[in-house]
């Protein structure tokens, strides 16, 4: 059974940092992406990366503050979030895609498997 499990969320003050993890089991973590969803809003693309880590796409709202990475030996992806803002408050999800061009579509419909999400709350 394929599973993606996010962890690392929590409560942080504005300007602080968090690192989220996405552990993939039941197969190899290939191309994947991070999305987020705030209450009452649509799920928003945050960042994506291909299986090798050589191709990366970062959403405009987090560019310069967030970094996506991966450790293939651990079958785990990471989202390092720095200079957090109140507007970053959301449930953060990792999701798997088959092709990097699916990540570049920046839409939730292009992903084929999702984790349960982890809550990130940034106090103002």
């Amino acid at each position: 059974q394929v599973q993606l499990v996010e962890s690392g969320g929590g409560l942080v003050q504005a300007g602080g940092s968090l690192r989220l993890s996405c552990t993939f089991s039941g197969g190899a973590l290939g191309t994947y992406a991070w999305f987020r969803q705030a209450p009452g809003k649509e799920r928003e693309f945050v960042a994506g990366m291909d299986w090798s880590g050589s191709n990366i796409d970062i959403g405009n709202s987090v560019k310069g503050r967030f970094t996506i990475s991966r450790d293939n030996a651990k079958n785990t992806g990471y989202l390092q979030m720095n200079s957090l803002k109140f507007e970053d408050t959301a449930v953060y999800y990792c999701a798997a895609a088959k092709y990097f061009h699916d990540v570049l579509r920046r839409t939730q419909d292009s992903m084929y498997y999702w984790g349960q999400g982890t809550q990130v709350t940034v106090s103002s």
Side-chain angles (χ1 to χ4, degrees), residues 55-83:
N55 293 295
I56 297 171
D57 191 29
I58 305 293
N60 292 339
S61 63
V62 303
K63 193 171 295 182
R65 299 186 297 118
F66 290 12
T67 302
I68 187 171
S69 63
R70 66 190 300 135
D71 185 340
N72 286 343
K74 297 180 178 180
N75 236 16
T76 299
Y78 303 97
L79 184 69
Q80 178 67 47
M81 305 184 295
N82 298 326
S83 301

PDB file of all heavy atoms in Angstrom, residues 55-83:
ATOM      1  N   ASN A  55      15.542  19.172 -11.180  1.00  0.00           N
ATOM      2  CA  ASN A  55      14.511  20.044 -11.729  1.00  0.00           C
ATOM      3  C   ASN A  55      13.573  20.462 -10.610  1.00  0.00           C
ATOM      4  O   ASN A  55      12.976  19.614  -9.940  1.00  0.00           O
ATOM      5  CB  ASN A  55      13.733  19.341 -12.839  1.00  0.00           C
ATOM      6  CG  ASN A  55      14.582  19.077 -14.065  1.00  0.00           C
ATOM      7  OD1 ASN A  55      15.018  20.005 -14.725  1.00  0.00           O
ATOM      8  ND2 ASN A  55      14.821  17.807 -14.362  1.00  0.00           N
ATOM      9  N   ILE A  56      13.442  21.764 -10.427  1.00  0.00           N
ATOM     10  CA  ILE A  56      12.701  22.321  -9.307  1.00  0.00           C
ATOM     11  C   ILE A  56      11.788  23.427  -9.792  1.00  0.00           C
ATOM     12  O   ILE A  56      12.158  24.219 -10.658  1.00  0.00           O
ATOM     13  CB  ILE A  56      13.665  22.868  -8.235  1.00  0.00           C
ATOM     14  CG1 ILE A  56      14.525  21.740  -7.664  1.00  0.00           C
ATOM     15  CG2 ILE A  56      12.906  23.576  -7.125  1.00  0.00           C
ATOM     16  CD1 ILE A  56      15.641  22.225  -6.770  1.00  0.00           C
ATOM     17  N   ASP A  57      10.611  23.489  -9.212  1.00  0.00           N
ATOM     18  CA  ASP A  57       9.680  24.574  -9.477  1.00  0.00           C
ATOM     19  C   ASP A  57       9.190  25.110  -8.136  1.00  0.00           C
ATOM     20  O   ASP A  57       8.783  24.329  -7.270  1.00  0.00           O
ATOM     21  CB  ASP A  57       8.502  24.092 -10.328  1.00  0.00           C
ATOM     22  CG  ASP A  57       7.636  25.213 -10.849  1.00  0.00           C
ATOM     23  OD1 ASP A  57       8.153  26.327 -11.050  1.00  0.00           O
ATOM     24  OD2 ASP A  57       6.429  24.982 -11.078  1.00  0.00           O
ATOM     25  N   ILE A  58       9.241  26.429  -7.966  1.00  0.00           N
ATOM     26  CA  ILE A  58       8.857  27.068  -6.716  1.00  0.00           C
ATOM     27  C   ILE A  58       7.734  28.054  -6.984  1.00  0.00           C
ATOM     28  O   ILE A  58       7.806  28.849  -7.927  1.00  0.00           O
ATOM     29  CB  ILE A  58      10.039  27.818  -6.069  1.00  0.00           C
ATOM     30  CG1 ILE A  58      11.233  26.873  -5.869  1.00  0.00           C
ATOM     31  CG2 ILE A  58       9.620  28.437  -4.750  1.00  0.00           C
ATOM     32  CD1 ILE A  58      10.982  25.793  -4.851  1.00  0.00           C
ATOM     33  N   GLY A  59       6.712  28.005  -6.163  1.00  0.00           N
ATOM     34  CA  GLY A  59       5.619  28.938  -6.305  1.00  0.00           C
ATOM     35  C   GLY A  59       6.038  30.361  -6.001  1.00  0.00           C
ATOM     36  O   GLY A  59       6.897  30.615  -5.155  1.00  0.00           O
ATOM     37  N   ASN A  60       5.423  31.302  -6.692  1.00  0.00           N
ATOM     38  CA  ASN A  60       5.819  32.700  -6.565  1.00  0.00           C
ATOM     39  C   ASN A  60       5.658  33.235  -5.139  1.00  0.00           C
ATOM     40  O   ASN A  60       6.460  34.060  -4.692  1.00  0.00           O
ATOM     41  CB  ASN A  60       5.011  33.562  -7.528  1.00  0.00           C
ATOM     42  CG  ASN A  60       5.350  33.297  -8.978  1.00  0.00           C
ATOM     43  OD1 ASN A  60       6.414  32.771  -9.294  1.00  0.00           O
ATOM     44  ND2 ASN A  60       4.450  33.671  -9.874  1.00  0.00           N
ATOM     45  N   SER A  61       4.648  32.780  -4.436  1.00  0.00           N
ATOM     46  CA  SER A  61       4.375  33.310  -3.111  1.00  0.00           C
ATOM     47  C   SER A  61       5.404  32.894  -2.070  1.00  0.00           C
ATOM     48  O   SER A  61       5.483  33.519  -1.002  1.00  0.00           O
ATOM     49  CB  SER A  61       2.975  32.893  -2.650  1.00  0.00           C
ATOM     50  OG  SER A  61       2.884  31.479  -2.523  1.00  0.00           O
ATOM     51  N   VAL A  62       6.192  31.866  -2.355  1.00  0.00           N
ATOM     52  CA  VAL A  62       7.175  31.382  -1.390  1.00  0.00           C
ATOM     53  C   VAL A  62       8.595  31.457  -1.916  1.00  0.00           C
ATOM     54  O   VAL A  62       9.538  31.087  -1.205  1.00  0.00           O
ATOM     55  CB  VAL A  62       6.858  29.943  -0.935  1.00  0.00           C
ATOM     56  CG1 VAL A  62       5.461  29.871  -0.338  1.00  0.00           C
ATOM     57  CG2 VAL A  62       6.996  28.961  -2.094  1.00  0.00           C
ATOM     58  N   LYS A  63       8.770  31.924  -3.131  1.00  0.00           N
ATOM     59  CA  LYS A  63      10.093  31.985  -3.745  1.00  0.00           C
ATOM     60  C   LYS A  63      11.018  32.872  -2.919  1.00  0.00           C
ATOM     61  O   LYS A  63      10.652  33.966  -2.505  1.00  0.00           O
ATOM     62  CB  LYS A  63       9.975  32.513  -5.173  1.00  0.00           C
ATOM     63  CG  LYS A  63      11.223  32.343  -6.017  1.00  0.00           C
ATOM     64  CD  LYS A  63      10.937  32.681  -7.478  1.00  0.00           C
ATOM     65  CE  LYS A  63       9.946  31.699  -8.075  1.00  0.00           C
ATOM     66  NZ  LYS A  63       9.679  31.982  -9.515  1.00  0.00           N
ATOM     67  N   GLY A  64      12.215  32.367  -2.684  1.00  0.00           N
ATOM     68  CA  GLY A  64      13.184  33.084  -1.876  1.00  0.00           C
ATOM     69  C   GLY A  64      13.099  32.783  -0.400  1.00  0.00           C
ATOM     70  O   GLY A  64      14.007  33.156   0.352  1.00  0.00           O
ATOM     71  N   ARG A  65      12.042  32.121   0.031  1.00  0.00           N
ATOM     72  CA  ARG A  65      11.859  31.781   1.438  1.00  0.00           C
ATOM     73  C   ARG A  65      11.817  30.282   1.693  1.00  0.00           C
ATOM     74  O   ARG A  65      12.281  29.818   2.732  1.00  0.00           O
ATOM     75  CB  ARG A  65      10.571  32.413   1.979  1.00  0.00           C
ATOM     76  CG  ARG A  65      10.549  33.931   1.902  1.00  0.00           C
ATOM     77  CD  ARG A  65       9.317  34.512   2.590  1.00  0.00           C
ATOM     78  NE  ARG A  65       8.075  34.088   1.948  1.00  0.00           N
ATOM     79  CZ  ARG A  65       7.128  33.373   2.548  1.00  0.00           C
ATOM     80  NH1 ARG A  65       7.264  33.009   3.815  1.00  0.00           N
ATOM     81  NH2 ARG A  65       6.024  33.037   1.882  1.00  0.00           N
ATOM     82  N   PHE A  66      11.255  29.530   0.768  1.00  0.00           N
ATOM     83  CA  PHE A  66      11.112  28.081   0.923  1.00  0.00           C
ATOM     84  C   PHE A  66      12.085  27.356   0.003  1.00  0.00           C
ATOM     85  O   PHE A  66      12.369  27.807  -1.114  1.00  0.00           O
ATOM     86  CB  PHE A  66       9.696  27.622   0.574  1.00  0.00           C
ATOM     87  CG  PHE A  66       8.626  28.040   1.541  1.00  0.00           C
ATOM     88  CD1 PHE A  66       8.856  28.974   2.533  1.00  0.00           C
ATOM     89  CD2 PHE A  66       7.361  27.476   1.451  1.00  0.00           C
ATOM     90  CE1 PHE A  66       7.861  29.356   3.419  1.00  0.00           C
ATOM     91  CE2 PHE A  66       6.357  27.840   2.324  1.00  0.00           C
ATOM     92  CZ  PHE A  66       6.599  28.781   3.307  1.00  0.00           C
ATOM     93  N   THR A  67      12.564  26.206   0.455  1.00  0.00           N
ATOM     94  CA  THR A  67      13.454  25.365  -0.324  1.00  0.00           C
ATOM     95  C   THR A  67      12.954  23.932  -0.303  1.00  0.00           C
ATOM     96  O   THR A  67      12.659  23.396   0.768  1.00  0.00           O
ATOM     97  CB  THR A  67      14.890  25.409   0.225  1.00  0.00           C
ATOM     98  OG1 THR A  67      15.370  26.754   0.225  1.00  0.00           O
ATOM     99  CG2 THR A  67      15.816  24.546  -0.630  1.00  0.00           C
ATOM    100  N   ILE A  68      12.858  23.319  -1.471  1.00  0.00           N
ATOM    101  CA  ILE A  68      12.452  21.928  -1.566  1.00  0.00           C
ATOM    102  C   ILE A  68      13.692  21.064  -1.781  1.00  0.00           C
ATOM    103  O   ILE A  68      14.626  21.461  -2.481  1.00  0.00           O
ATOM    104  CB  ILE A  68      11.415  21.719  -2.693  1.00  0.00           C
ATOM    105  CG1 ILE A  68      10.871  20.290  -2.670  1.00  0.00           C
ATOM    106  CG2 ILE A  68      11.992  22.081  -4.056  1.00  0.00           C
ATOM    107  CD1 ILE A  68       9.682  20.072  -3.605  1.00  0.00           C
ATOM    108  N   SER A  69      13.702  19.890  -1.176  1.00  0.00           N
ATOM    109  CA  SER A  69      14.829  18.983  -1.315  1.00  0.00           C
ATOM    110  C   SER A  69      14.346  17.546  -1.157  1.00  0.00           C
ATOM    111  O   SER A  69      13.152  17.298  -0.966  1.00  0.00           O
ATOM    112  CB  SER A  69      15.926  19.305  -0.294  1.00  0.00           C
ATOM    113  OG  SER A  69      15.453  19.128   1.027  1.00  0.00           O
ATOM    114  N   ARG A  70      15.281  16.617  -1.247  1.00  0.00           N
ATOM    115  CA  ARG A  70      14.930  15.211  -1.076  1.00  0.00           C
ATOM    116  C   ARG A  70      16.145  14.409  -0.653  1.00  0.00           C
ATOM    117  O   ARG A  70      17.289  14.810  -0.882  1.00  0.00           O
ATOM    118  CB  ARG A  70      14.342  14.634  -2.372  1.00  0.00           C
ATOM    119  CG  ARG A  70      15.339  14.574  -3.519  1.00  0.00           C
ATOM    120  CD  ARG A  70      14.638  14.222  -4.833  1.00  0.00           C
ATOM    121  NE  ARG A  70      13.976  12.929  -4.760  1.00  0.00           N
ATOM    122  CZ  ARG A  70      12.743  12.677  -5.199  1.00  0.00           C
ATOM    123  NH1 ARG A  70      12.037  13.650  -5.779  1.00  0.00           N
ATOM    124  NH2 ARG A  70      12.215  11.469  -5.085  1.00  0.00           N
ATOM    125  N   ASP A  71      15.893  13.266  -0.041  1.00  0.00           N
ATOM    126  CA  ASP A  71      16.917  12.300   0.307  1.00  0.00           C
ATOM    127  C   ASP A  71      16.413  10.952  -0.187  1.00  0.00           C
ATOM    128  O   ASP A  71      15.588  10.312   0.462  1.00  0.00           O
ATOM    129  CB  ASP A  71      17.169  12.284   1.809  1.00  0.00           C
ATOM    130  CG  ASP A  71      18.316  11.376   2.215  1.00  0.00           C
ATOM    131  OD1 ASP A  71      18.691  10.476   1.436  1.00  0.00           O
ATOM    132  OD2 ASP A  71      18.850  11.560   3.323  1.00  0.00           O
ATOM    133  N   ASN A  72      16.906  10.537  -1.342  1.00  0.00           N
ATOM    134  CA  ASN A  72      16.389   9.318  -1.953  1.00  0.00           C
ATOM    135  C   ASN A  72      16.720   8.070  -1.140  1.00  0.00           C
ATOM    136  O   ASN A  72      15.984   7.087  -1.187  1.00  0.00           O
ATOM    137  CB  ASN A  72      16.920   9.181  -3.382  1.00  0.00           C
ATOM    138  CG  ASN A  72      16.244  10.132  -4.346  1.00  0.00           C
ATOM    139  OD1 ASN A  72      15.176  10.681  -4.046  1.00  0.00           O
ATOM    140  ND2 ASN A  72      16.845  10.340  -5.504  1.00  0.00           N
ATOM    141  N   ALA A  73      17.827   8.099  -0.415  1.00  0.00           N
ATOM    142  CA  ALA A  73      18.173   6.957   0.427  1.00  0.00           C
ATOM    143  C   ALA A  73      17.136   6.739   1.518  1.00  0.00           C
ATOM    144  O   ALA A  73      16.936   5.611   1.973  1.00  0.00           O
ATOM    145  CB  ALA A  73      19.554   7.152   1.036  1.00  0.00           C
ATOM    146  N   LYS A  74      16.488   7.808   1.944  1.00  0.00           N
ATOM    147  CA  LYS A  74      15.458   7.726   2.977  1.00  0.00           C
ATOM    148  C   LYS A  74      14.050   7.765   2.413  1.00  0.00           C
ATOM    149  O   LYS A  74      13.080   7.720   3.172  1.00  0.00           O
ATOM    150  CB  LYS A  74      15.629   8.861   3.985  1.00  0.00           C
ATOM    151  CG  LYS A  74      16.931   8.813   4.756  1.00  0.00           C
ATOM    152  CD  LYS A  74      17.027   9.964   5.739  1.00  0.00           C
ATOM    153  CE  LYS A  74      18.303   9.893   6.539  1.00  0.00           C
ATOM    154  NZ  LYS A  74      18.411  11.014   7.510  1.00  0.00           N
ATOM    155  N   ASN A  75      13.935   7.873   1.086  1.00  0.00           N
ATOM    156  CA  ASN A  75      12.630   7.971   0.438  1.00  0.00           C
ATOM    157  C   ASN A  75      11.807   9.116   1.028  1.00  0.00           C
ATOM    158  O   ASN A  75      10.597   8.987   1.260  1.00  0.00           O
ATOM    159  CB  ASN A  75      11.861   6.661   0.561  1.00  0.00           C
ATOM    160  CG  ASN A  75      11.427   6.098  -0.785  1.00  0.00           C
ATOM    161  OD1 ASN A  75      11.913   6.499  -1.842  1.00  0.00           O
ATOM    162  ND2 ASN A  75      10.504   5.151  -0.746  1.00  0.00           N
ATOM    163  N   THR A  76      12.475  10.227   1.246  1.00  0.00           N
ATOM    164  CA  THR A  76      11.871  11.349   1.953  1.00  0.00           C
ATOM    165  C   THR A  76      12.138  12.655   1.227  1.00  0.00           C
ATOM    166  O   THR A  76      13.245  12.896   0.744  1.00  0.00           O
ATOM    167  CB  THR A  76      12.412  11.429   3.386  1.00  0.00           C
ATOM    168  OG1 THR A  76      12.088  10.224   4.087  1.00  0.00           O
ATOM    169  CG2 THR A  76      11.800  12.603   4.132  1.00  0.00           C
ATOM    170  N   GLY A  77      11.124  13.493   1.160  1.00  0.00           N
ATOM    171  CA  GLY A  77      11.258  14.843   0.661  1.00  0.00           C
ATOM    172  C   GLY A  77      11.113  15.838   1.793  1.00  0.00           C
ATOM    173  O   GLY A  77      10.539  15.531   2.847  1.00  0.00           O
ATOM    174  N   TYR A  78      11.631  17.039   1.569  1.00  0.00           N
ATOM    175  CA  TYR A  78      11.631  18.065   2.607  1.00  0.00           C
ATOM    176  C   TYR A  78      11.200  19.402   2.032  1.00  0.00           C
ATOM    177  O   TYR A  78      11.425  19.711   0.864  1.00  0.00           O
ATOM    178  CB  TYR A  78      13.025  18.227   3.222  1.00  0.00           C
ATOM    179  CG  TYR A  78      13.595  16.950   3.800  1.00  0.00           C
ATOM    180  CD1 TYR A  78      14.469  16.160   3.066  1.00  0.00           C
ATOM    181  CD2 TYR A  78      13.251  16.542   5.080  1.00  0.00           C
ATOM    182  CE1 TYR A  78      14.993  14.996   3.587  1.00  0.00           C
ATOM    183  CE2 TYR A  78      13.768  15.375   5.612  1.00  0.00           C
ATOM    184  CZ  TYR A  78      14.636  14.604   4.865  1.00  0.00           C
ATOM    185  OH  TYR A  78      15.150  13.448   5.398  1.00  0.00           O
ATOM    186  N   LEU A  79      10.594  20.195   2.889  1.00  0.00           N
ATOM    187  CA  LEU A  79      10.291  21.581   2.575  1.00  0.00           C
ATOM    188  C   LEU A  79      10.806  22.435   3.720  1.00  0.00           C
ATOM    189  O   LEU A  79      10.251  22.404   4.820  1.00  0.00           O
ATOM    190  CB  LEU A  79       8.789  21.794   2.381  1.00  0.00           C
ATOM    191  CG  LEU A  79       8.373  23.201   1.961  1.00  0.00           C
ATOM    192  CD1 LEU A  79       8.836  23.493   0.536  1.00  0.00           C
ATOM    193  CD2 LEU A  79       6.858  23.377   2.076  1.00  0.00           C
ATOM    194  N   GLN A  80      11.885  23.158   3.463  1.00  0.00           N
ATOM    195  CA  GLN A  80      12.437  24.082   4.447  1.00  0.00           C
ATOM    196  C   GLN A  80      11.746  25.426   4.274  1.00  0.00           C
ATOM    197  O   GLN A  80      11.796  26.020   3.199  1.00  0.00           O
ATOM    198  CB  GLN A  80      13.947  24.236   4.256  1.00  0.00           C
ATOM    199  CG  GLN A  80      14.599  25.222   5.216  1.00  0.00           C
ATOM    200  CD  GLN A  80      14.559  24.757   6.648  1.00  0.00           C
ATOM    201  OE1 GLN A  80      14.875  23.615   6.942  1.00  0.00           O
ATOM    202  NE2 GLN A  80      14.144  25.643   7.559  1.00  0.00           N
ATOM    203  N   MET A  81      11.116  25.900   5.322  1.00  0.00           N
ATOM    204  CA  MET A  81      10.343  27.130   5.281  1.00  0.00           C
ATOM    205  C   MET A  81      10.995  28.149   6.203  1.00  0.00           C
ATOM    206  O   MET A  81      11.047  27.949   7.418  1.00  0.00           O
ATOM    207  CB  MET A  81       8.895  26.875   5.699  1.00  0.00           C
ATOM    208  CG  MET A  81       8.208  25.790   4.888  1.00  0.00           C
ATOM    209  SD  MET A  81       6.452  25.587   5.330  1.00  0.00           S
ATOM    210  CE  MET A  81       6.633  25.003   7.019  1.00  0.00           C
ATOM    211  N   ASN A  82      11.485  29.224   5.619  1.00  0.00           N
ATOM    212  CA  ASN A  82      12.121  30.298   6.366  1.00  0.00           C
ATOM    213  C   ASN A  82      11.314  31.583   6.227  1.00  0.00           C
ATOM    214  O   ASN A  82      10.498  31.722   5.320  1.00  0.00           O
ATOM    215  CB  ASN A  82      13.549  30.526   5.867  1.00  0.00           C
ATOM    216  CG  ASN A  82      14.442  29.330   6.045  1.00  0.00           C
ATOM    217  OD1 ASN A  82      14.318  28.582   7.012  1.00  0.00           O
ATOM    218  ND2 ASN A  82      15.368  29.141   5.103  1.00  0.00           N
ATOM    219  N   SER A  83      11.578  32.516   7.110  1.00  0.00           N
ATOM    220  CA  SER A  83      10.907  33.821   7.084  1.00  0.00           C
ATOM    221  C   SER A  83       9.404  33.662   6.964  1.00  0.00           C
ATOM    222  O   SER A  83       8.744  34.304   6.138  1.00  0.00           O
ATOM    223  CB  SER A  83      11.460  34.676   5.937  1.00  0.00           C
ATOM    224  OG  SER A  83      12.845  34.871   6.071  1.00  0.00           O
TER     225      SER A  83
END
